[in-house]
Amino acid sequence: MQRYPHHIVPMDPQVCPPPLSSSQSVMSGLDKSPVTFKPSHSRSSSTGSSKNSKQSRHWEVMDDLQNLDMCSVPGSTLDLSIPGICEGYLMKRRKYPLKGWHKRYFMLEKGILKYSKTPQDIQRGKLHGSMDVSLAVMSVNKKSKRIDLDAGDNLYHLKVTIRLKTDNMHVNRSLPPPSRRWKYRTPSMGRHSHRAPSVADSMAEYFDASEVIVCETSSEAEASDESGLSDITTTSNSEPEEGHCESLSTACCCVPGRRTVLPAPGADNSHIGIMTILYNNIGKDLSRVSMPVALNEPVCLLQRLSEELEYTELLDIANHIDDPYERMVYVAAFSISGYAWASWRYRYKPFNPVLGETYESYREDRGFQYISEQVSHHPPISACHAESENFTFWQDQRWKNKFWGKSVEIISSGQVNVSLPKYGDHYEWNKAVTCIHNVLSQQRWLEHYGEVVIRNTKSDACTCKISFVKSRYWSSDNSKNEVQGVVLDRAGEVVHRFGGLWHEGIFCDTLPTPKCIWKPNMQPDDHADFYGFSRYARELNELTPDLKDVLPPTDTRFRPDQRLLEEGKVMEADKRKDEVEEKQRERRKEMAKRGEEHIPRFFRKALDEAGREVWLYNGTYWKLRKEPGFANTDNLDLW
């Protein structure tokens, strides 16, 4: 194969288009925009923000022409010859956590797009990744020269800044500009790839309790810097072994008196055309798109946040360890334990809290009390606070969800905080990216990836870096969900290494006695029938007679649509969900007329030590609960 000297030159999109499958054939004579899927009808009042509309309108989904009858287009010709190899440098967005760009060398040959750092690495077979483009959904932004390829298991964000080289000069002359239409032809199979979904259902607009799913814009991309995340040099591949996890006496899988099953099994949502909802809105803000209640699980985001406290015994232990490095290991294990639920919870989504919704969790068996509140609607912010004699835990989470064609990424921007009173420590850390793959099918799977950095704001004696490893296309199921971490001293030297799988356990082999630090509780045998809920999750929405008398009416347990879904009454839940959202809209309209703004009841806005805006607990909830009691106070009417 003839090759040309490897040098970087400005890309001319008229000479060589963005990297597509080299076995794609060119349809000349047709210059149409890609097919866009539209709902069969929409409400006349449906509008989007002008800013987001301006940002998203430049994105196009490149649809194949598998359903196009060539004979129906007079004068058109179809060149089905296989193009040559297309290769060169592109800018690829970093994986963890999608901040910044780096230059990578790509080669497109026979429909397979592979890349590495240099062309020499590709020649030696040292690949960083590979993708069959025929299986990917391609979104193109010609204005910013952006290309997004989503093959379900792999997700590439590319930016064209150079000209690709090919082994045949006539390929460059024959390839059309990006606005042309492409048809994929697999030489070995002789048939088309089927990937474009049909749209049959309409979508309704609502403004409250909404999804926030936006596709990244070119302005965000340009604002990203080239800096990446520091490498974690841990080589530990140890996994926890059965029977070697130390006993955590405060952990309790089944609490006497608490329910162990839900009133009804999970609703079947296999008939829901989720592709109708998502695929039609690639690159658009879905904050005004109503999701069918059958896609939900009977807990809300406020309750989902409280699930991060399932393994607080790790913090109880940390608060009694004198060694700051070992103490950090247990804090790190706690931060990882908050992701364990995700291994079984990829088929449903939690309810989005309405503004002013609250949730409390008073766990005498675990020694903590927890309160949370939805403090903002646009943007959606959920604040929570928990405390016990061994720790204080608080965070305010702001989620941004991005739909890329076959995958949905959930990115949280808030900081998690934990303080240990015995040593005066204050730990804070970010969250990893959560990605749901194959979101358009029933074969969905979920993973976390990115770097989490834990710092003690009261001491620089040690820091911790945790890497949630992104699965590679050649990875086996046994190697998925890998997590590795290191505890570093003030000089940056490694003191402890730990690792494992975030859904199975964490093992540390650098302690005086190597041991399993944490292992999740066993799932109930019938977890697949009840939304994948653990025993802890099944207790979250339980409403006992004693709780009814002390909870505020804004508590999630009183939310009627969520309660009906838990009871298996899906159609009634859908109806009540619309009523809850309509009531929220009316309340916001009335407040706007009076020039009023919503003021959270139990949290206040403040600035942390780094100058970031945060929401902190104001200390009033448990006092009001005790005296005079929420039945004797003014409360929001949310339902």
Side-chain angles (χ1 to χ4, degrees):
M1 180 181 69
Q2 180 183 357
R3 293 184 180 271
Y4 292 92
H6 300 289
H7 60 279
I8 301 176
V9 294
M11 177 182 177
D12 183 356
Q14 302 296 325
V15 174
C16 188
L20 300 170
S21 170
S22 64
S23 56
Q24 282 178 316
S25 57
V26 180
M27 168 161 282
S28 58
L30 294 179
D31 190 3
K32 300 180 180 179
S33 60
V35 174
T36 57
F37 301 98
K38 299 179 179 179
S40 56
H41 70 275
S42 61
R43 299 182 184 181
S44 58
S45 61
S46 180
T47 59
S49 67
S50 59
K51 177 181 179 181
N52 194 72
S53 175
K54 182 178 180 181
Q55 293 173 338
S56 62
R57 67 187 181 189
H58 301 298
W59 283 95
E60 298 175 327
V61 180
M62 304 305 292
D63 179 42
D64 60 54
L65 301 183
Q66 60 189 19
N67 298 320
L68 181 63
D69 184 357
M70 193 179 72
C71 299
S72 65
V73 185
S76 65
T77 60
L78 197 61
D79 179 9
L80 298 180
S81 62
I82 300 177
I85 297 174
C86 203
E87 58 182 324
Y89 283 98
L90 294 172
M91 300 302 293
K92 183 178 182 297
R93 196 164 182 83
R94 298 179 184 275
K95 294 179 182 178
Y96 316 124
L98 292 180
K99 289 185 179 180
W101 299 78
H102 49 196
K103 185 176 68 175
R104 290 293 179 261
Y105 196 86
F106 284 80
M107 177 181 287
L108 183 62
E109 182 179 11
K110 296 182 180 179
I112 304 299
L113 181 66
K114 50 191 176 182
Y115 77 94
S116 190
K117 280 190 176 182
T118 64
Q120 290 78 18
D121 286 343
I122 290 185
Q123 291 177 1
R124 292 193 294 263
K126 185 179 179 181
L127 302 180
H128 286 198
S130 179
M131 175 188 291
D132 187 343
V133 183
S134 69
L135 303 178
V137 173
M138 177 182 296
S139 303
V140 176
N141 188 324
K142 288 176 275 187
K143 182 177 180 181
S144 61
K145 296 182 179 180
R146 286 282 308 280
I147 306 161
D148 289 340
L149 294 169
D150 187 350
D153 291 345
N154 294 314
L155 178 59
Y156 292 172
H157 306 285
L158 308 176
K159 182 160 58 174
V160 180
T161 59
I162 59 173
R163 178 182 299 160
L164 302 179
K165 299 183 295 299
T166 62
D167 62 342
N168 295 297
M169 289 302 293
H170 75 273
V171 174
N172 280 343
R173 292 193 296 270
S174 65
L175 293 175
S179 60
R180 299 281 181 156
R181 298 287 301 279
W182 293 78
K183 181 177 180 180
Y184 186 81
R185 174 178 176 269
T186 307
S188 60
M189 301 178 63
R191 62 181 180 177
H192 304 307
S193 170
H194 298 274
R195 65 175 186 269
S198 60
V199 174
D201 302 323
S202 62
M203 294 174 291
E205 169 199 9
Y206 71 85
F207 303 98
D208 299 278
S210 59
E211 295 297 307
V212 180
I213 302 181
V214 296
C215 191
E216 184 173 61
T217 63
S218 59
S219 60
E220 289 175 320
E222 295 301 330
S224 301
D225 57 38
E226 294 294 327
S227 61
L229 295 162
S230 59
D231 295 331
I232 296 180
T233 58
T234 177
T235 58
S236 173
N237 291 318
S238 302
E239 295 182 14
E241 299 178 3
E242 192 70 30
H244 286 265
C245 202
E246 71 174 34
S247 174
L248 303 176
S249 59
T250 57
C252 187
C253 294
C254 187
V255 180
R258 302 302 296 264
R259 70 180 185 183
T260 58
V261 295
L262 299 183
D268 178 24
N269 60 13
S270 60
H271 64 286
I272 301 295
I274 191 170
M275 65 178 63
T276 301
I277 300 171
L278 296 180
Y279 202 90
N280 189 52
N281 291 274
I282 293 179
K284 297 181 181 178
D285 182 2
L286 297 188
S287 62
R288 300 172 185 265
V289 177
S290 180
M291 299 290 177
V293 76
L295 293 177
N296 287 18
E297 59 186 16
V299 295
C300 79
L301 278 171
L302 300 177
Q303 294 167 310
R304 172 71 64 81
L305 281 178
S306 73
E307 284 189 75
E308 297 180 21
L309 297 172
E310 182 172 358
Y311 302 99
T312 53
E313 61 270 11
L314 292 165
L315 297 180
D316 294 334
I317 295 173
N319 194 48
H320 293 89
I321 297 177
D322 293 330
D323 183 352
Y325 305 107
E326 185 176 353
R327 191 159 66 242
M328 178 68 84
V329 171
Y330 278 86
V331 173
F334 171 78
S335 72
I336 296 170
S337 71
Y339 297 93
W341 59 266
S343 183
W344 303 277
R345 305 269 287 279
Y346 49 83
R347 291 182 55 202
Y348 303 91
K349 58 172 285 296
F351 279 82
N352 292 296
V354 297
L355 188 62
E357 187 172 340
T358 62
Y359 177 73
E360 77 156 61
S361 179
Y362 182 43
R363 300 301 301 255
E364 290 183 283
D365 57 309
R366 296 172 183 266
F368 71 82
Q369 52 189 23
Y370 165 95
I371 174 61
S372 57
E373 181 180 6
Q374 190 72 5
V375 297
S376 174
H377 182 66
H378 288 304
I381 302 176
S382 303
C384 67
H385 179 94
E387 56 190 24
S388 78
E389 63 178 13
N390 288 319
F391 68 88
T392 302
F393 168 94
W394 71 98
Q395 62 176 314
D396 58 87
Q397 288 302 318
R398 308 150 194 243
W399 286 276
K400 178 185 288 186
N401 303 318
K402 296 181 180 181
F403 174 53
W404 297 111
K406 287 188 178 180
S407 305
V408 172
E409 286 180 326
I410 305 168
I411 302 174
S412 175
S413 60
Q415 294 282 313
V416 184
N417 298 265
V418 165
S419 65
L420 302 180
K422 183 176 180 180
Y423 303 99
D425 292 340
H426 173 195
Y427 301 94
E428 66 174 19
W429 63 87
N430 60 294
K431 286 191 172 182
V433 176
T434 298
C435 185
I436 304 174
H437 296 277
N438 299 327
V439 70
L440 301 181
S441 73
Q442 290 298 310
Q443 287 72 45
R444 305 181 194 117
W445 61 280
L446 183 150
E447 70 170 332
H448 307 293
Y449 50 79
E451 187 182 70
V452 173
V453 179
I454 305 178
R455 295 183 176 87
N456 185 351
T457 64
K458 302 300 182 181
S459 171
D460 62 351
C462 63
T463 58
C464 179
K465 293 185 179 181
I466 307 171
S467 177
F468 288 78
V469 182
K470 185 177 177 65
S471 301
R472 299 184 181 273
Y473 78 101
W474 58 78
S475 299
S476 65
D477 290 339
N478 293 332
S479 63
K480 289 183 177 179
N481 303 344
E482 182 182 359
V483 60
Q484 299 176 356
V486 291
V487 175
L488 308 172
D489 62 15
R490 187 178 286 107
E493 298 294 327
V494 175
V495 179
H496 289 301
R497 301 180 188 273
F498 55 88
L501 305 177
W502 51 256
H503 71 296
E504 289 189 357
I506 300 300
F507 189 87
C508 183
D509 55 7
T510 56
L511 294 174
T513 302
K515 57 186 174 181
C516 173
I517 301 298
W518 164 79
K519 191 174 183 180
N521 298 322
M522 291 289 294
Q523 280 286 91
D525 294 336
D526 58 353
H527 71 272
D529 298 328
F530 294 98
Y531 302 94
F533 280 4
S534 65
R535 287 187 174 88
Y536 185 84
R538 297 179 186 198
E539 301 167 359
L540 295 177
N541 205 48
E542 184 178 12
L543 184 58
T544 63
D546 292 340
L547 278 176
K548 284 184 179 180
D549 296 334
V550 297
L551 292 177
T554 55
D555 193 279
T556 296
R557 297 175 183 86
F558 294 118
R559 182 166 178 164
D561 50 352
Q562 184 171 307
R563 181 63 61 185
L564 288 168
L565 177 63
E566 183 182 82
E567 296 170 353
K569 303 173 183 178
V570 180
M571 294 184 64
E572 296 178 42
D574 236 333
K575 181 179 178 182
R576 290 305 305 269
K577 180 172 179 285
D578 290 339
E579 293 174 357
V580 169
E581 293 159 2
E582 180 62 29
K583 188 167 187 175
Q584 177 79 334
R585 284 195 293 269
E586 292 301 321
R587 186 167 70 92
R588 291 183 63 196
K589 289 179 182 178
E590 291 299 321
M591 292 182 64
K593 288 180 181 179
R594 297 192 299 266
E596 299 176 354
E597 292 185 2
H598 174 78
I599 300 176
R601 188 176 186 183
F602 306 112
F603 289 82
R604 58 181 176 83
K605 187 184 297 186
L607 296 178
D608 65 7
E609 297 174 354
R612 295 168 300 204
E613 180 183 288
V614 294
W615 288 88
L616 301 177
Y617 175 55
N618 62 17
T620 61
Y621 182 86
W622 301 104
K623 294 177 181 179
L624 290 174
R625 186 182 190 269
K626 183 178 180 180
E627 183 68 35
F630 291 113
N632 301 312
T633 63
D634 293 330
N635 303 286
L636 290 175
D637 181 13
L638 300 181
W639 327 122

